[in-house]
Amino acid sequence: MTDPANPVIARTAAELRAAVAGWRRAGDRIGLVPTMGALHQGHLELAAALRKAGAARVLFSIFVNPAQFGPKEDFSRYPRREAEDLAKLASIGADLAYLPTVDEIYPEGFAFSIVPSGPIVADLEAAVRPGHFAGVATVVAKLLIQAAPDLAAFGEKDYQQLLLVRRLVRDLDLPCEILGVPTVRDRDGLALSSRNAYLGEAQLAVARRLNRIMAEIAADPALLAAGPDRLRDAGFDAVDYLVLRDAETLAEPAPGRPRRLIAAVRLGATRLLDNMAVP
Ligand code: PAF
């Protein structure tokens, strides 16, 4: 039975495995939501999607993964809110919170890394953040090996990451179904993100224009070429990319194939990502 007031807290892989083993013996399907914490409604929707897909037990990992941040990125200032996160997990009846230390994930002398290659990591985030996806792939593989979930949920907001994780489990034969969950937005359409916490009121007003401009381009891709200028005019400091791609391979779009409009922009020191299907 889930106790809504009390997710089990595991700080080591051994504690995590012990809890999961008991549930598995009881025949429960296990779902995992890997996160870096500073939880918002988007994360909580991932848990709801897992339950809908048949997970009887929902685990969250909360780990700000140093390996996926570049030397000049926001690792040290990334929001860490353990008490608030645990309260949110209690409120949705999550079964377990896995809160490993850096040493638990990367013990002294850690010597392996999973380095993705191929078209999915040919550009976009991989070009702007060298080494980022090796850090993501390595930690996600470790979390999937440690928790051995039947299902794991990832948000569509980090679209390239979602495709990467699907490829990771396929290529490494990890027996876990990956669920991609639609982006949760605020009432003005801004994609929820832990990094939105960096934005002041004026920046939030600009940030909310990203989704609107993208929605117009998605409705009429002829507007794509002028998109970066429109975004800069709207107040964004830089446009890292704004591209229309094949939704499954990230290759250039081809007739008859599903398409995705994908963007990364900068507002001050904050990067914002968004994407949407193009009919
Ligand atoms: O999307 C995230 O929060 C992270 O990249 C993930 C998947 C938890 C890996 O650290």
Side-chain angles (χ1 to χ4, degrees):
M1 273 288 289
T2 295
D3 175 359
N6 192 22
V8 172
I9 293 178
R11 295 200 183 263
T12 65
E15 289 166 4
L16 168 68
R17 282 208 179 94
V20 171
W23 291 328
R24 198 171 285 291
R25 271 195 302 276
D28 292 345
R29 270 167 74 74
I30 312 291
L32 175 69
V33 182
T35 80
M36 298 206 300
L39 301 179
H40 50 68
Q41 193 56 33
H43 294 112
L44 306 186
E45 293 294 333
L46 299 178
L50 286 172
R51 289 208 190 279
K52 207 166 157 203
R57 299 287 177 177
V58 173
L59 329 177
F60 277 73
S61 61
I62 297 180
F63 178 63
V64 185
N65 174 31
Q68 68 186 74
F69 289 80
K72 295 193 182 134
E73 294 183 7
D74 55 343
F75 174 68
S76 54
R77 73 176 188 128
Y78 196 86
R80 288 162 174 84
R81 301 184 177 151
E82 186 176 308
E84 284 168 49
D85 287 348
L86 290 175
K88 285 181 185 163
L89 295 188
S91 78
I92 60 158
D95 295 278
L96 181 142
Y98 177 42
L99 304 156
T101 59
V102 172
D103 284 346
E104 183 68 18
I105 297 290
Y106 301 114
E108 180 65 28
F110 187 81
F112 288 88
S113 175
I114 295 173
V115 182
S117 60
I120 285 175
V121 290
D123 59 2
L124 309 183
E125 286 306 280
V128 180
R129 305 181 68 189
H132 169 68
F133 283 128
V136 170
T138 303
V139 81
V140 170
K142 287 202 62 144
L143 293 168
L144 295 181
I145 290 167
Q146 291 179 342
D150 300 288
L151 312 152
F154 292 81
E156 284 184 350
K157 189 187 76 70
D158 295 299
Y159 196 75
Q160 192 175 14
Q161 169 175 281
L162 172 61
L163 297 189
L164 171 100
V165 170
R166 286 194 198 286
R167 187 56 62 97
L168 171 77
V169 299
R170 190 202 74 167
D171 288 0
L172 297 189
D173 302 307
L174 297 172
C176 178
E177 185 187 326
I178 302 300
L179 224 60
V181 179
T183 302
V184 178
R185 299 178 181 280
D186 74 5
R187 61 171 197 276
D188 296 307
L190 175 65
L192 298 192
S193 163
S194 305
R195 288 189 168 95
N196 293 352
Y198 298 148
L199 303 174
E201 272 312 309
Q203 288 180 314
L204 274 171
V206 175
R208 293 196 167 99
R209 300 198 57 193
L210 175 61
N211 153 76
R212 291 187 206 149
I213 291 172
M214 288 181 72
E216 287 174 30
I217 297 170
D220 179 5
L223 300 174
L224 177 64
D229 281 342
R230 284 187 68 195
L231 289 166
R232 282 184 286 266
D233 291 347
F236 292 99
D237 294 302
V239 179
D240 284 344
Y241 50 83
L242 173 68
V243 292
L244 189 58
R245 291 292 174 87
D246 185 290
E248 286 164 13
T249 64
L250 296 185
E252 292 301 323
R257 299 269 315 155
R259 297 179 299 172
R260 200 94 190 171
L261 181 65
I262 306 174
V265 296
R266 293 178 194 248
L267 249 184
T270 306
R271 291 183 77 240
L272 300 175
L273 272 54
D274 204 345
N275 66 86
M276 56 192 62
V278 175

